[in-house]
Amino acid sequence: MFKEDLLKNKVILVTGGGTGLGKSMATRFGELGANLIIGSRRADVIAKAAQELKQTGAEVLGVKCDVRQMDQVNEMVSAALGKFGRIDILLNNAAGNFISPTEMLSPGGFKAVVDIVLVGTFNCTLAVGKEMIKQKNGSILNIVTTYAWTGSGYVIPSASAKAGVLAMTRSLAVEWAKYNIRSNAIAPGPFPTEGAWKRLVPPGLNIEKKMKNRVPLKRFGEHLELANLASYLISDQAGYINGEVVTIDGGEWLKGAGQFNELDKLPKVLWKTMQKLRKRSKK
Ligand code: HXC
Ligand code: NAP
């Protein structure tokens, strides 16, 4: 789809780049000539992914970093600058999520997700943005969801946080344009990943089939489809796209907004069982 040098010599920081969609996007960026920094909380996951990403030909720096902690974010950015001298592109992809009836949430549960998604995105944007301002050049891409604007029941912390990230994207598209920094977002529909499926698709209820059927195209997204869209948006070829959110969901939200609203059908007793199982496994 692209010339192989589309992202040649670009330095790209991907949060949550060790798993799922972040890893798939980082792989594509590497294939297109970029050098990479990936960061997340689990050092072993990041180290393994960094080794794999090197097979694309990219130089890769893997950093253990919790995006909720500003000091760790600053350390990741310093390490990136030490190795590469600059950061051209920031992909805010790290996220936390789970399904829960809102009345069963604790303030700690709400905060856990909002801190990763909204505060974490801000922390990385601030630390990397300051460098981009010095460079007078940069591109920021944030991963949101379609329920950032439609809302969805049963994922209130994530919906609230992603709506904040979308507002941040559009606000900075205007404010930081004077520094030649573009801000855009992608709203993916359902793309199977271990991290999302484990937390959002309760097993044994045939939910996966129903999820697929909600999509007018009757299938889930393929990682490469998302990775190609991200590659285009961060590249210089998209130099006039600023403040946009591009949906890639097979038409899903137009047919029936709020992916998790249908969890209304789950009986209360099942939520209570899931809560008990989670607390037991946490112990
Ligand atoms: C209710 C829950 C809960 C659940 C955790 N909590 N899981 N409450 N239902 N299923 C509450 C806990 O009781 C606790 O509250 C607080 O949240 C923190 O829980 P911890 O387990 O200590 O948190 P932590 O280890 O920091 O893990 C954060 C996490 C976890 C967000 C809860 O899921 C995580 O690490 N996620 C990272 C990866 C991820 O979520 N990937 C999926 C992204 S998919 P108290 O009150 O005890 O403090 C995605 C798709 C969007 O975003 C759109 C799809 C279409
Ligand atoms: P995933 O594999 O679970 O990705 C989440 C990543 O975030 C993990 O690598 C995780 O790594 C990292 N992370 C979580 N908390 C962090 C923290 N505090 N600091 C740093 N990193 C942290 O799930 P995914 O499906 O690929 O999701 C990727 C993105 O796509 C997310 O923004 C998600 O909201 C979005 N999205 C996904 C779908 C879908 O269908 N899959 C749909 C819409 C939007 P650690 O655990 O090592 O920290």
Side-chain angles (χ1 to χ4, degrees), residues 42-269:
R42 291 170 295 166
D44 53 334
V45 170
I46 283 297
K48 186 165 175 281
Q51 279 309 322
E52 287 171 30
L53 287 167
K54 281 180 189 161
Q55 286 165 20
T56 63
E59 279 190 60
V60 187
L61 176 66
V63 185
K64 175 175 157 38
C65 172
D66 185 331
V67 294
R68 294 170 293 191
Q69 308 296 335
M70 196 66 215
D71 54 341
Q72 292 186 30
V73 171
N74 283 331
E75 278 166 27
M76 174 170 66
V77 170
S78 294
L81 295 174
K83 184 169 173 70
F84 296 113
R86 62 179 205 285
I87 301 171
D88 301 299
I89 293 150
L90 168 65
L91 173 55
N92 282 308
N93 163 81
N97 203 354
F98 53 74
I99 46 169
S100 174
T102 302
E103 65 276 19
M104 284 174 75
L105 281 174
S106 64
F110 184 80
K111 191 171 180 315
V113 172
V114 173
D115 276 357
I116 301 171
V117 176
L118 182 55
V119 178
T121 297
F122 175 76
N123 288 345
C124 295
T125 301
L126 183 66
V128 177
K130 283 179 180 174
E131 296 305 318
M132 289 176 168
I133 288 171
K134 283 186 216 154
Q135 294 164 193
K136 287 217 172 304
N137 187 50
S139 172
I140 299 171
L141 183 63
N142 298 323
I143 304 300
V144 295
T145 68
T146 56
Y147 60 58
W149 61 89
T150 68
S152 172
Y154 301 91
V155 284
I156 291 289
S158 173
S160 308
K162 294 284 192 186
V165 172
L166 183 53
M168 201 189 306
T169 309
R170 289 175 170 149
S171 305
L172 284 178
V174 176
E175 189 183 337
W176 283 359
K178 60 179 172 288
Y179 304 122
N180 198 24
I181 299 171
R182 296 185 296 118
S183 293
N184 291 296
I186 293 178
F191 285 73
T193 65
E194 193 189 331
W197 258 228
K198 190 165 79 182
R199 293 174 177 93
L200 303 173
V201 185
L205 298 169
N206 218 9
I207 287 184
E208 205 174 4
K209 191 169 167 208
K210 285 182 196 135
M211 282 169 73
K212 210 179 272 183
N213 272 327
R214 298 180 73 246
V215 181
L217 286 176
K218 300 287 177 218
R219 67 172 176 87
F220 293 136
E222 286 174 18
H223 286 209
L224 186 59
E225 293 173 319
L226 177 72
N228 278 333
L229 173 60
S231 300
Y232 169 65
L233 284 175
I234 60 173
S235 78
D236 295 338
Q237 298 299 316
Y240 204 51
I241 300 182
N242 186 26
E244 187 55 85
V245 53
V246 181
T247 301
I248 175 164
D249 74 341
E252 184 194 40
W253 84 272
L254 289 169
K255 189 175 174 198
Q259 283 102 328
F260 297 94
N261 285 328
E262 290 189 23
L263 292 177
D264 263 339
K265 290 170 193 144
L266 290 201
K268 190 114 195 167
V269 61

Side-chain angles (χ1 to χ4, degrees), residues 276-283:
K276 267 191 209 142
L277 288 173
R278 177 175 61 80
K279 289 197 169 158
R280 199 178 299 157
S281 77
K282 185 82 186 169
K283 268 185 205 150

